[in-house]
Amino acid sequence: MTPPTDTPDTPGTPGTPDVPAPAGPRDARSWLREHSEIGVGVLLLALGVLVLTDALTMTVDLTQRGPVGPKTVPVVVGTGLLVVAVLLTLDVLRGGRGEAEGGEDIDLAEPSDWRTVLLLAGVFLANAVLIGPLGFPISGALLFWGSAYALGSRHLDRDPLIAAGLSLLTYFVFNNLLGVPLPGGPLMGVL
């Protein structure tokens, strides 16, 4: 038998263990820190609403045939974003937590490689500027070769040839097979 205690068994009486401490700013911050994944749910919810709003206000040509039109994929994606946002938020509120990444080979003591980031940004900006006057085959080849160089490939004899082949293949697939017109530039008559 347990000896009787002098504290009453009614909850809410000061001094009993089931009385929560008064909520303060520190408690609110710790709750937000423990449930920070809710921010991802809010972001997914906002994206889903944006995608659905854009899809449902889209004007569709009356000559469209069949049930699958330009609204179908955005409605499916927007609905999927909303469902994932709700499920993620419910999971976080029930105590679910994302697993910490344990297999990364990243040394956090090393500084960031800004040279690579700036080279890649320059290659993408150059592609955006050059795609109009030079066309996709040439600017795409420069994009692929420049990206390979920025990421560390130093095969100066092989990389430009692979980049040119990849660029031409991409141009033919999009322009001829998929019907997505890409600018040909000065090679338009040759291709």
Side-chain angles (χ1 to χ4, degrees):
M1 295 203 49
T2 59
T5 59
D6 292 349
T7 59
D9 290 337
T10 58
T13 307
T16 60
D18 27 333
V19 174
R26 180 173 290 275
D27 291 335
R29 273 188 261 143
S30 67
W31 187 89
L32 286 174
R33 187 173 295 123
E34 291 173 6
H35 297 87
S36 62
E37 290 97 349
I38 291 177
V40 176
V42 170
L43 177 67
L44 291 175
L45 182 74
L47 285 174
V49 168
L50 179 69
V51 169
L52 278 176
T53 303
D54 194 34
L56 295 176
T57 58
M58 184 186 305
T59 57
V60 179
D61 189 14
L62 295 176
T63 60
Q64 170 190 335
R65 293 184 182 175
V68 178
K71 287 185 177 185
T72 305
V73 172
V75 167
V76 169
V77 169
T79 305
L81 285 169
L82 292 179
V83 168
V84 169
V86 169
L87 291 176
L88 176 66
T89 303
L90 287 175
D91 182 52
V92 170
L93 290 176
R94 289 181 181 161
R97 304 237 348 132
E99 290 184 28
E101 295 184 33
E104 293 290 329
D105 292 334
I106 297 174
D107 186 9
L108 297 177
E110 289 292 318
S112 300
D113 187 8
W114 286 107
R115 179 182 178 272
T116 301
V117 172
L118 292 175
L119 280 173
L120 281 173
V123 166
F124 279 101
L125 286 174
N127 183 50
V129 170
L130 297 175
I131 197 168
L134 296 181
F136 183 81
I138 296 173
S139 70
L142 293 173
L143 171 71
F144 295 139
W145 178 67
S147 297
Y149 183 83
L151 292 173
S153 179
R154 298 296 184 257
H155 299 282
L156 299 179
D157 54 343
R158 176 182 70 183
D159 288 346
L161 295 175
I162 293 173
L166 189 59
S167 178
L168 287 173
L169 178 69
T170 306
Y171 177 78
F172 280 122
V173 166
F174 276 89
N175 199 50
N176 297 348
L177 298 178
L178 297 176
V180 177
L182 293 175
L187 296 178
M188 192 63 156
V190 178
L191 299 175

